[in-house]
Amino acid sequence: MTKPHPDFEMRDSCQEAFGDSVHQLFVRDMSRAWYQQPEGWDALLEALGAYCLRHSIEHVAIMGLSMGGYGALELSRALPYAATASLKTFNVVALSTRTRLLPIPAFDFRNTELLRQIPPLRQPPLWQSLHSGAHYTLVFAIDELEDTLHAWHVARREDIQVLAATGSHNIAHQLRVEGKLTLFLQQLFSPSVSARLVEEVGFFPPKPAHFALAIARHDGYPVAQQEHIATSLTHSERPDGF
């Protein structure tokens, strides 16, 4: 018997947040290759582009978590020009995503076997060719060392808004536990999505100390030095254990 694929975890939450007022499309990479497998990619882009044109879509929000966050970023820069040229809102929100795939970064050895199996990257490195018309927001969890280091590599860019959250890698689950997931989803179409995620959901701009502490932890600085760095953060801003 073929094991059924699990349902999309956001489906019920999106229905609760939007009802039938918003077109909702869900995409999953069944190969777990960070959306790098060539099979079906062009057909997916063609179908999504045609859907947007057929329904005269003017506001688009692409969101994903972890590998899905990387997929959201990939889709945003690959959608056909005809489908994005006249958009009034084009927001891309990636939660707890990698910012580098290959070569495997020295600070993140999670899922290395999966990474070794993916084909050569289809496009230039992700952050070298973002869609110029999209508004990008990357949210990372301060309790996750690797996610913090990934965010650090793009934190100084002007075309990406980096925000921090408390809790684990699965930020969506944390939001669900806190009763904020529906509220989070409802902000995705806002023209000022990053500001709304701060005001309404409770994400916050990271401080240099968040990244300095992550680097110190990764490089094995003495605990006393790590704790000294942490003193510049309020108690609620500190990673777990500090």
Side-chain angles (χ1 to χ4, degrees):
M1 177 182 294
T2 302
K3 183 178 180 180
H5 298 308
D7 198 8
F8 290 96
E9 59 182 330
M10 291 286 186
R11 187 187 299 275
D12 292 342
S13 298
C14 286
Q15 185 63 29
E16 181 180 348
F18 305 116
D20 297 326
S21 64
V22 171
H23 295 261
Q24 302 171 30
L25 304 178
F26 299 86
V27 178
R28 175 183 287 136
D29 180 358
M30 299 306 301
S31 67
R32 302 188 68 196
W34 283 268
Y35 298 80
Q36 298 303 311
Q37 291 289 357
E39 292 81 9
W41 179 252
D42 290 339
L44 171 64
L45 296 176
E46 181 179 353
L48 291 175
Y51 187 94
C52 291
L53 293 173
R54 184 166 65 252
H55 295 280
S56 300
I57 301 295
E58 295 182 328
H59 305 275
V60 167
I62 308 177
M63 189 276 294
L65 167 70
S66 193
M67 188 182 296
Y70 199 92
L73 297 167
E74 284 281 25
L75 281 173
S76 73
R77 65 177 183 161
L79 284 174
Y81 175 80
T84 61
S86 59
L87 291 178
K88 296 179 179 179
T89 307
F90 189 10
N91 292 333
V92 184
V93 179
L95 307 178
S96 299
T97 190
R98 291 174 176 267
T99 58
R100 298 182 177 189
L101 283 184
L102 298 175
I104 298 173
F107 60 85
D108 188 355
F109 294 101
R110 299 172 297 179
N111 300 312
T112 52
E113 290 305 313
L114 286 176
L115 286 166
R116 291 191 181 105
Q117 295 175 29
I118 67 176
L121 300 186
R122 182 176 47 252
Q123 301 187 74
L126 189 63
W127 302 104
Q128 291 183 14
S129 59
L130 295 177
H131 194 293
S132 60
H135 182 284
Y136 288 91
T137 305
L138 185 149
V139 186
F140 72 96
I142 60 174
D143 292 339
E144 296 290 337
L145 175 61
E146 293 87 353
D147 290 349
T148 303
L149 292 172
H150 275 289
W152 173 65
H153 280 87
V154 298
R156 291 185 292 273
R157 291 184 56 135
E158 295 182 356
D159 55 349
I160 304 164
Q161 179 66 57
V162 176
L163 297 177
T166 57
S168 67
H169 177 79
N170 193 338
I171 294 175
H173 174 73
Q174 185 70 28
L175 291 172
R176 182 179 287 112
V177 170
E178 297 174 357
K180 295 180 179 180
L181 183 56
T182 297
L183 183 62
F184 162 76
L185 293 169
Q186 290 171 339
Q187 312 311 312
L188 296 181
F189 290 94
S190 171
S192 54
V193 58
S194 297
R196 298 291 295 175
L197 291 176
V198 171
E199 296 168 4
E200 301 294 335
V201 182
F203 297 155
F204 53 93
K207 295 180 177 179
H210 286 110
F211 302 121
L213 182 57
I215 293 169
R217 292 168 61 195
H218 175 266
D219 290 348
Y221 280 38
V223 173
Q225 287 184 258
Q226 297 181 37
E227 292 178 342
H228 177 72
I229 296 172
T231 58
S232 63
L233 301 171
T234 66
H235 181 73
S236 63
E237 295 172 337
R238 297 178 187 178
D240 190 38
F242 291 90

